[in-house]
Amino acid sequence: METRTVVPTLITQLRALQQLTQTEAQIAKVRVGQARTDAVRRELQQNAANAERRTERITDELRRVGGVPDVVTPAIGRVLALVKSTVEQGQPLDEALLGDLTLEHQLLDRARYVRTLARRAERVSTERLADDLVTAHEATVDWLTTVLAEEAMGGVAALVATPLQRVAGGVTRVVSLPTRFAIERFNQAVAAVSRTGEQVRDGAEDLAREASATVTRLGTGAREVATAGRDAALGRAEQVARRDGADDTAKAVHETRRNLGTLKASELPVRDYDELNAQDSIAAIRELSTPEDITAVVTYEETHKNRAGVVSAAQTRFAAVAKDEAGV
């Protein structure tokens, strides 16, 4: 590329970065509402603020390079973010995150291209900006890759699906059924425990959630009764499966109980967990090394004491395990 054509190309790329960065900032704000813990929420809020600052830096650099100030592009970025957040409600969470990752890769690749153009045009300030953008987007790519790995492992991911995304992903199925019929369907699914493995886990978990969703409309008392019945039925189903030697089925039901947070304290991978204070609980969680063990503890914690610091520590530990799994 001839030197005389570098600056116009540089201006074009900076404008593209301005628009995409504005979109990134808006999406980060949307993700704040999906944060699992306060620590993740604060991180996302900081990410959104950082993206806004990057947009301002890019705009300033555009002026220095000779580009005409663009008042339309930021508005386009906000519209694109709104469209993306609306469309993705019909997608599973992993598809939404893959969309975020695609955006970050485009930002990263364009920042690297801008850095090369800036060197060619001998624009020191633009090159410095591009270096900072590359560093920021590399970190975000790693973070999103880790969250996707968390989602793949089925544990305590940093982000949680919205209700519509849970439906789209097949995690829950909300139906309008009388309470008695919903619970009866659940009991029928559990009764088949000696004949099925994977089918029982999916059916039992879905139907358990159907029963819970139905009784939510009938008041706290009915909800507690139904939940207790569900937990007892699952516990009994696992006992029967183990007694009959149906190990795969027992494992499937155990996973369902773990994911619902209905394991007993004696079944957790941390001894005497209920007796531990927050500091000791966090220390014990940091010693856990498998996604299954971390998930078991954090779902139990969330459905019992629900101590924010402990849940946050568990999510951080799960993220570390996910990073190793994803090779980040």
Side-chain angles (χ1 to χ4, degrees):
M1 184 179 295
E2 297 181 5
T3 303
R4 61 186 175 83
T5 65
V6 170
V7 172
T9 303
L10 184 58
I11 290 173
T12 298
Q13 291 303 317
L14 284 171
R15 282 179 176 156
L17 279 173
Q18 182 189 33
Q19 176 181 319
L20 292 171
T21 304
Q22 185 64 45
T23 303
E24 177 194 30
Q26 296 301 315
I27 290 172
K29 293 176 182 177
V30 172
R31 294 283 174 257
V32 168
Q34 295 181 256
R36 187 182 192 97
T37 66
D38 288 339
V40 174
R41 186 173 298 106
R42 287 192 296 269
E43 182 178 5
L44 288 169
Q45 289 169 336
Q46 186 61 54
N47 288 347
N50 290 341
E52 293 284 7
R53 282 192 286 271
R54 287 196 293 272
T55 301
E56 294 173 2
R57 287 188 63 189
I58 294 169
T59 301
D60 292 341
E61 193 61 31
L62 258 172
R63 293 192 181 96
R64 280 193 286 269
V65 174
V68 177
D70 188 351
V71 297
V72 176
T73 295
I76 293 175
R78 286 191 291 271
V79 170
L80 289 176
L82 176 61
V83 171
K84 181 181 185 300
S85 62
T86 300
V87 170
E88 73 181 20
Q89 291 306 304
Q91 300 175 327
L93 178 60
D94 56 353
E95 290 297 330
L97 291 172
L98 285 168
D100 291 358
L101 192 57
T102 298
L103 173 63
E104 286 300 325
H105 274 298
Q106 184 175 173
L107 281 161
L108 176 57
D109 292 340
R110 286 183 182 273
R112 287 169 173 164
Y113 182 38
V114 165
R115 181 168 58 188
T116 302
L117 290 171
R119 288 172 181 169
R120 187 78 175 86
E122 298 181 346
R123 299 286 312 182
V124 176
S125 62
T126 309
E127 184 178 351
R128 188 179 304 113
L129 168 64
D131 283 338
D132 291 344
L133 293 177
V134 168
T135 299
H137 295 310
E138 284 178 339
T140 305
V141 165
D142 286 350
W143 187 82
L144 285 169
T145 301
T146 300
V147 175
L148 277 166
E150 294 171 353
E151 182 71 12
M153 292 191 300
V156 284
L159 298 178
V160 297
T162 64
L164 286 176
Q165 287 172 336
R166 285 198 293 271
V167 172
V171 181
T172 60
R173 187 183 303 119
V174 179
V175 294
S176 299
L177 292 173
T179 303
R180 185 178 299 278
F181 181 58
I183 295 175
E184 180 61 23
R185 283 189 64 199
F186 166 71
N187 288 336
Q188 289 173 0
V190 174
V193 69
S194 62
R195 299 191 303 273
T196 60
E198 186 72 22
Q199 181 180 357
V200 166
R201 181 179 61 191
D202 294 341
E205 188 164 353
D206 284 348
L207 290 170
R209 293 181 188 277
E210 287 177 11
S212 294
T214 302
V215 299
T216 295
R217 298 190 297 272
L218 302 180
T220 304
R223 182 166 63 250
E224 291 177 351
V225 170
T227 300
R230 177 202 68 187
D231 297 347
L234 283 172
R236 178 58 179 165
E238 184 177 348
Q239 291 176 358
V240 171
R242 295 193 186 282
R243 183 196 65 193
D244 294 345
D247 293 338
D248 289 344
T249 298
K251 180 180 178 181
V253 178
H254 186 81
E255 289 178 7
T256 297
R257 295 178 59 229
R258 181 196 68 201
N259 293 337
L260 291 174
T262 61
L263 294 181
K264 297 177 181 178
S266 59
E267 298 175 277
L268 298 178
V270 176
R271 186 176 179 180
D272 298 327
Y273 184 80
D274 272 347
E275 306 302 319
L276 302 180
N277 58 30
Q279 184 176 356
D280 290 338
S281 297
I282 292 171
I285 287 170
R286 287 173 177 165
E287 296 298 319
L288 300 176
S289 58
T290 69
E292 294 78 14
D293 284 351
I294 300 170
T295 299
V297 172
V298 74
T299 52
Y300 180 88
E301 177 68 34
E302 287 179 325
T303 55
H304 290 77
K305 297 181 181 180
N306 197 25
R307 295 166 291 186
V310 177
V311 174
S312 182
Q315 197 283 312
T316 300
R317 178 58 184 153
F318 194 87
V321 173
K323 282 185 179 181
D324 289 340
E325 183 72 19
V328 175

